[in-house]
Amino acid sequence: MQTELFTSSDPHWLGKQVVVLPGFVLDRFERLLPALRQIVLAAPFRNMTTPGGRTIAVRVTNCGELGWISDLHGYRYSPVDPLSGKPWPALPEVFLELARSAAHSAGFEDFTADACLINSYLPGNRLTLHQDRNERDFSQPIVSVSLGLPATFLLGGHTRAERTQRVALQHGDVMVWGGEDRLRFHGILPLQDGRHPVLGARRINFTLRKAG
């Protein structure tokens, strides 16, 4: 299966309402990084558990009014960090501005995120095909930011059985999907070995959403 590669900074449309914005974050990276570090200090990365009792290999944390969690009771959003019992760290203004700007570039006006799920991938980690269905309003887009090691994103259809498209995501790329493409299945192939000059041997991905 062919992998989509982007050789310019122009938006690359993969569907009517799903787009990759190559390098969109690069001029903001110096401001994003300290904000990200403060979030992780307040709410460290952790391995959550699926409702079936399996440990999720990709470590996660959250910021915003709501944070995505998973445990034996199911997948859901919570206003408090289950590790600390305290509210999640606030969404930094640089994250909110990035989400608004990326959503605008993808044709979604007046998007204001209230939740940000942050994933930390190590080489070998992957994310199986799934839909994002825990949010209340599916009319709102998802803004997904890639930092660190490159990854291969799998973009599927509206059923798990539909053929997937492979999309190469690099450090600084942003992917936005919503509207008729909002509930498409998607995932990440196993992360390959490598080392980013700032983030080291890992990929940081955060997805900004309107969850409540």
Side-chain angles (χ1 to χ4, degrees):
M1 185 182 298
Q2 184 177 359
T3 301
E4 292 283 351
L5 299 171
F6 311 124
T7 57
S8 77
S9 59
D10 295 332
H12 190 92
W13 292 90
L14 302 172
K16 288 187 177 179
Q17 292 181 284
V18 55
V19 64
V20 175
L21 306 172
F24 194 83
V25 172
L26 293 179
D27 62 351
R28 297 172 171 87
F29 182 57
E30 295 296 328
R31 291 183 291 137
L32 286 174
L33 196 56
L36 178 62
R37 287 172 174 154
Q38 289 301 311
I39 292 166
V40 176
L41 282 174
F45 284 115
R46 77 290 306 267
N47 296 97
M48 293 191 181
T49 303
T50 68
R54 181 178 61 85
T55 299
I56 300 174
V58 178
R59 296 185 302 152
V60 304
T61 189
N62 294 275
C63 64
E65 296 175 20
L66 296 168
W68 183 88
I69 64 172
S70 173
D71 56 24
L72 297 178
H73 300 290
Y75 304 114
R76 61 197 184 281
Y77 282 95
S78 170
V80 299
D81 180 345
L83 289 186
S84 67
K86 299 177 181 179
W88 297 101
L91 258 166
E93 181 58 36
V94 64
F95 281 38
L96 290 167
E97 187 277 328
L98 167 61
R100 285 191 294 265
S101 180
H104 174 78
S105 296
F108 298 98
E109 303 297 334
D110 302 320
F111 174 59
T112 300
D114 63 4
C116 179
L117 171 63
I118 307 171
N119 297 315
S120 177
Y121 292 80
L122 297 177
N125 288 166
R126 66 188 181 101
L127 195 62
T128 57
L129 282 177
H130 66 285
Q131 294 171 300
D132 290 337
R133 300 189 66 94
N134 298 126
E135 298 76 26
R136 292 184 180 180
D137 184 359
F138 295 153
S139 72
Q140 298 295 310
I142 289 177
V143 176
S144 178
V145 178
S146 292
L147 302 174
L149 291 180
T152 300
F153 186 91
L154 295 177
L155 179 65
H158 287 86
T159 66
R160 192 181 298 274
E162 291 178 61
R163 184 178 180 180
T164 58
Q165 181 178 358
R166 295 187 176 190
V167 182
L169 296 177
Q170 306 294 324
H171 172 72
D173 291 350
V174 175
M175 192 168 180
V176 183
W177 66 93
E180 67 181 72
D181 293 309
R182 171 61 176 75
L183 291 177
R184 288 175 70 160
F185 278 84
H186 56 282
I188 294 287
L189 287 181
L191 196 69
Q192 299 298 305
D193 287 330
R195 189 165 191 86
H196 184 267
V198 177
L199 295 176
R202 62 176 173 167
R203 173 183 186 247
I204 299 293
N205 166 249
F206 57 90
T207 49
L208 295 137
R209 310 146 185 258
K210 177 64 176 175

